[in-house]
Amino acid sequence: MERLRSAPPPVKRPAKKSKKAVAAMRPAEYAAYIGRLAAAGMVRRRPLGRGPFLAGFRIFYADGDVGAASPMTRDRMDYLVRYGATLVPTYDPAHLTHVVTTLDRAQFARKTGLESPRDVPDALPVLRWEWVKTGERAGGLARWHEHAAYNDHVVFEAVVPEGERRTVPEACRRGRSSSVQAKGKAADVEGRPDAGDAEASRISEFTQDRLAGLAAEQKPHASVQKAQRTRGEPSTSAATPHGGGGAADPLAEFYAAARAERETELRSDTPLRTGHAAAAAGSRQTGAFQCDIVPDGKVGTCPNQDVIDELNKLVKVHRQGATREDGFKVGAYTRAINGIRKLKTRIKSSEEALAIAGVGSKTAQKIMEIIETGHLRRLDHVLTKEIAILETFQGIYGVGPKVARQWLAAGCRTLDDIREGKHGVKLSTAQHTGLKYYDDINARMPREEAQAIFELIKPVALSIDPKLFVDIMGSFRRGKADCGDIDILITRPTDDGKSHIGRRLHCKDPRKLTTPLGVLRRLLKELHERGVITEDLNVPEDWDDLELVYRGLCRRDSKGLQRRIDFLTVPYKSRGAALLYYTGDDIFNRSMRLKANKMGYSLNQRGLYANVIRNPSDRRQKFNEGVIIASETEREIFEKLGVPWQEPHQRVRGG
DNA sequence: GGGCTGTACTG
DNA sequence: CAGTAC
DNA sequence: GCCC
């Protein structure tokens, strides 16, 4: 709880809870607790400049927590309170102005005890966390429609220009009137100013932007006004409605077009009401987890492709760098590129660039240089030739940055140098194979070929044991048209007491095994004999393990190229986690793990774990392994993490 | 100022 | 343990 | 290099 600084001890100070007690609180308990702290003046509001832009709002926060509120939930609740919101511990739509959640509609309904997802009221804005973060950045409120969790159709309705506005759904109006009544009461009970409630009653009548205007206008927090003045804005700008204004709204056309496309993720150069730099390029989705944002499936050409190409060169350069920083820069630039890729308009100013998630001041500067001059001067002075050589070397399976640099330093320049063992180069077995089939391995294969190879393999596996689950993962499962390799997952239900390793699970003495060959060992033997598998790269050492990883090369027929293939066997229990992991993509996986981490969980290919205690001085080191809370299906993992369900083809975050 | 996904195999 | 792969 |  060190996030909330204590004020000088007041007379009636709520009992200070121990860290442990706080950590054990359920979300509702924590919300109530922090509410008491706030009421006692023990929550320090944010310093002037940002302003308590959530003042008067009554927010219910729902996350995927199981049991105790996770560190992330507590963090976010702290945050909401610090910016002036009143946290409502339980879901009581009549007493709320906003809901902030990471859950999808069905999860939210379940969590809040609603009978059906249809009962989630449309009149109440249900928003993603990014709405809060974007609002903070913009120095005011962000537009709902860009951050609605799932009732975006209604929220979107609200920003449709007057002339084109459709009838607000019946359910909406009902929900509103009933909530208005109860709100005044709630305000009394909590002894809070009712400004927020008065606003909330207008939610469906006014546009989001008007509401934002009202928030600033009717509740003139000195800090907000000061912040605006500091930025040199005319004070009227805060109250100027746009987006929801009359027919003169310059954005009307834009909205109409967007609606026509049923676009839910609007990104434009639409200024928010403040005209503040951070807001100038529309919503900045920082603070959100990539995995929470379901992509809209549209690709389209990117108006900033030149910027992306140039930044990609920078990624290449740093990928060859030796330091840890280089590695993190690769990640940072990659995230920035991802943000830029989603942008649908040409970047025109460094402010716009800065507003992109993952783009900071340094990258924004570089972006502007690219836009103004067409390239980065910094790249002119970089040893492109050496970089190219390092990349070539790393194209060899088993060769990474270290070895590549070593070879370069030793004087090697070409693959032939390596082949000939010049300058004392020695190859491991895997590297030798990797070099031998260099071109094949680095070529991508058409999806059809992956499918064909899989169809050679699956029947063989099933002939060994018809109860096996054999599935192809990776980019193939994500529906990509071309694949870099083939990932095959093997598992087997244990309901008959057997698993993919054979009978050993129930045979205490291994020497008495009657079926000594595990499935994978037999399968690989078969595939070798049939010429499907041609080379091994990485062979498990203990074939009797439940979890095995095999890496090798295979081909469709004697005329086909050699393709990379991986086999994984996993215990039936952890098939969901394995499926999730081996389906990817990379960025999606990282994001899921990061979110799990922030929620106090840990996610790996075996499952989602709670109560993992990490070494505070080295977070990667775990003191205990925790309690497994989900692993059998992908869905339960999504659910526990409060991530909206996404089919494999939707889990694409990278290129 | 610290974190940035997390695990397994190879030599 | 460092390096590599996924 | 970005973000908290």
Side-chain angles (χ1 to χ4, degrees):
Chain A
M1 270 297 304
E2 54 275 9
R3 289 182 194 88
L4 299 175
R5 310 258 164 62
S6 301
V11 188
K12 264 176 56 188
R13 182 179 179 150
K16 195 179 174 199
K17 299 275 194 296
S18 74
K19 214 169 181 176
K20 202 173 154 192
V22 169
M25 288 180 182
R26 302 168 70 82
E29 291 165 343
Y30 186 77
Y33 166 65
I34 196 177
R36 289 195 299 275
L37 286 186
M42 291 171 65
V43 173
R44 188 193 285 173
R45 308 292 181 179
R46 277 273 160 163
L48 299 181
R50 305 285 185 158
F53 70 106
L54 298 174
F57 286 19
R58 308 178 54 79
I59 301 178
F60 173 70
Y61 179 81
D63 211 326
D65 300 333
V66 178
S70 69
M72 181 176 75
T73 297
R74 298 202 301 268
D75 216 19
R76 290 181 170 186
M77 287 181 169
D78 291 353
Y79 186 102
L80 292 171
V81 169
R82 287 173 87 172
Y83 280 102
T86 300
L87 268 182
V88 179
T90 52
Y91 177 68
D92 184 355
H95 295 176
L96 295 170
T97 60
H98 297 76
V99 171
V100 176
T101 187
T102 61
L103 305 175
D104 69 27
R105 208 179 175 79
Q107 293 163 352
F108 184 80
R110 220 169 308 140
K111 184 120 187 166
T112 54
L114 296 172
E115 277 185 22
S116 137
R118 287 190 304 277
D119 298 336
V120 178
D122 281 335
L124 192 60
V126 182
L127 302 156
R128 292 300 184 203
W129 178 252
E130 349 140 359
W131 170 74
V132 178
K133 298 298 289 181
T134 306
E136 186 211 337
R137 291 219 168 236
L141 293 181
R143 294 162 183 278
W144 295 345
H145 70 277
E146 290 173 353
H147 305 286
Y150 26 86
N151 53 2
D152 55 300
H153 54 296
V154 175
V155 176
F156 186 74
E157 201 64 50
V159 293
V160 173
E162 209 85 293
E164 299 175 67
R165 192 175 295 172
R166 290 180 199 150
T167 317
V168 176
E170 177 67 17
C172 233
R173 271 171 289 169
R174 272 190 279 113
R176 183 172 77 245
S177 58
S178 66
S179 60
V180 174
Q181 281 186 334
K183 264 168 203 149
K185 228 167 72 190
D188 294 342
V189 170
E190 298 278 325
R192 296 272 312 173
D194 60 0
D197 301 313
E199 277 163 29
S201 68
R202 296 190 185 94
I203 282 170
S204 298
E205 293 162 26
F206 287 77
T207 66
Q208 174 59 23
D209 295 323
R210 276 187 184 170
L211 180 68
L214 284 171
E217 199 176 36
Q218 298 186 340
K219 302 185 283 99
H221 288 284
S223 56
V224 172
Q225 292 200 328
K226 184 177 176 207
Q228 280 160 0
R229 273 197 304 275
T230 331
R231 290 192 297 265
E233 294 161 19
S235 61
T236 51
S237 71
T240 305
H242 69 265
D249 181 1
L251 303 169
E253 221 181 302
F254 181 71
Y255 284 135
R259 189 175 61 249
E261 290 173 14
R262 297 195 59 76
E263 185 79 88
T264 54
E265 193 187 300
L266 285 183
R267 275 147 195 289
S268 68
D269 50 357
T270 309
L272 288 186
R273 66 185 176 83
T274 60
H276 180 260
S283 68
R284 177 187 172 109
Q285 302 210 341
T286 105
F289 291 100
Q290 293 256 9
C291 55
D292 286 329
I293 304 160
V294 183
D296 62 10
K298 293 201 189 70
V299 206
T301 52
C302 179
N304 300 294
Q305 194 54 46
D306 53 339
V307 176
I308 292 173
D309 292 342
E310 210 63 8
L311 290 179
N312 263 326
K313 292 184 197 164
L314 218 42
V315 169
K316 277 184 160 189
V317 170
H318 286 291
R319 189 166 283 144
Q320 301 309 328
T323 68
R324 197 194 307 280
E325 286 87 68
D326 283 305
F328 291 126
K329 283 180 189 182
V330 169
Y333 284 129
T334 306
R335 269 184 287 274
I337 289 169
N338 259 317
I340 297 167
R341 189 180 284 130
K342 282 186 250 170
L343 209 61
K344 292 179 179 63
T345 56
R346 180 75 175 162
I347 299 166
K348 287 184 269 327
S349 66
S350 58
E351 285 82 6
E352 283 183 20
L354 208 49
I356 300 164
V359 175
S361 59
K362 300 273 203 55
T363 307
Q365 244 178 320
K366 292 186 178 75
I367 290 173
M368 289 321 289
E369 187 189 336
I370 297 165
I371 284 187
E372 280 156 17
T373 70
H375 78 298
L376 279 173
R377 281 196 63 181
R378 194 181 135 174
L379 286 170
D380 296 342
H381 310 294
V382 132
L383 306 166
T384 321
K385 218 171 169 181
E386 279 74 8
I387 302 260
I389 293 169
L390 291 171
E391 281 177 343
T392 304
F393 290 167
Q394 281 170 87
I396 302 172
Y397 182 95
V399 176
K402 297 279 180 185
V403 172
R405 264 198 301 278
Q406 220 169 284
W407 289 350
L408 182 70
C412 296
R413 294 293 178 270
T414 65
L415 288 181
D416 279 331
D417 292 346
I418 306 300
R419 253 180 226 115
E420 293 155 19
K422 283 192 184 163
H423 305 104
V425 164
K426 288 273 186 294
L427 296 176
S428 70
T429 4
Q431 289 166 346
H432 186 262
T433 308
L435 181 55
K436 185 169 169 192
Y437 300 106
Y438 188 91
D439 291 332
D440 284 15
I441 292 175
N442 286 300
R444 297 187 70 84
M445 82 191 98
R447 178 180 182 76
E448 292 67 36
E449 187 176 340
Q451 174 101 49
I453 293 174
F454 179 62
E455 277 161 14
L456 291 175
I457 294 168
K458 190 170 180 181
V460 179
L462 292 181
S463 75
I464 293 170
D465 184 342
K467 287 200 74 177
L468 290 178
F469 276 30
V470 184
D471 265 308
I472 181 164
M473 333 277 304
S475 50
F476 185 92
R477 184 163 181 248
R478 294 198 307 273
K480 275 212 79 174
D482 52 271
C483 310
D485 65 357
I486 303 174
D487 297 299
I488 295 174
L489 182 107
I490 298 174
T491 187
R492 184 188 189 284
T494 52
D495 49 13
D496 60 359
K498 293 190 202 168
S499 76
H500 52 266
I501 68 167
R503 292 178 192 281
R504 179 161 173 178
L505 272 183
H506 297 275
C507 177
K508 289 194 177 117
D509 183 355
R511 286 166 300 185
K512 291 183 187 161
L513 284 177
T514 49
T515 52
L517 286 180
V519 165
L520 185 59
R521 184 138 122 187
R522 281 203 271 168
L523 177 60
L524 292 173
K525 188 165 178 282
E526 275 293 326
L527 295 174
H528 264 295
E529 280 163 11
R530 292 167 192 239
V532 176
I533 288 187
T534 53
E535 303 275 352
D536 299 330
L537 291 168
N538 200 331
V539 182
E541 80 180 26
D542 181 1
W543 292 90
D544 294 327
D545 269 351
L546 255 179
E547 246 176 287
L548 295 174
V549 181
Y550 167 87
R551 302 184 202 287
L553 300 182
C554 67
R555 58 179 174 180
R556 173 152 63 171
D557 51 51
S558 53
K559 297 185 295 278
L561 299 190
Q562 303 280 347
R563 307 296 191 182
R564 279 279 296 105
I565 189 164
D566 294 344
F567 284 95
L568 317 132
T569 68
V570 300
Y572 196 60
K573 268 273 180 202
S574 51
R575 65 194 180 283
L579 217 53
L580 182 62
Y581 173 68
Y582 291 108
T583 298
D585 67 11
D586 237 40
I587 297 179
F588 183 83
N589 278 351
R590 283 195 206 184
S591 157
M592 292 280 276
R593 287 168 186 218
L594 188 61
K595 183 168 189 188
N597 233 241
K598 290 267 162 64
M599 292 176 73
Y601 300 148
S602 165
L603 177 64
N604 62 25
Q605 55 266 56
R606 287 193 276 280
L608 179 64
Y609 295 79
N611 303 324
V612 176
I613 314 286
R614 290 187 159 83
N615 184 344
S617 51
D618 180 12
R619 300 258 312 143
R620 290 165 305 177
Q621 191 196 340
K622 290 188 274 191
F623 285 143
N624 71 340
E625 111 176 14
V627 183
I628 194 155
I629 58 170
S631 68
E632 294 210 36
T633 66
E634 290 182 309
R635 276 183 196 275
E636 27 166 358
I637 297 172
F638 274 83
E639 239 167 75
K640 296 257 160 79
L641 288 176
V643 173
W645 168 255
Q646 289 159 76
E647 296 296 337
H649 73 271
Q650 294 177 296
R651 304 176 199 166
V652 181
R653 297 296 181 276

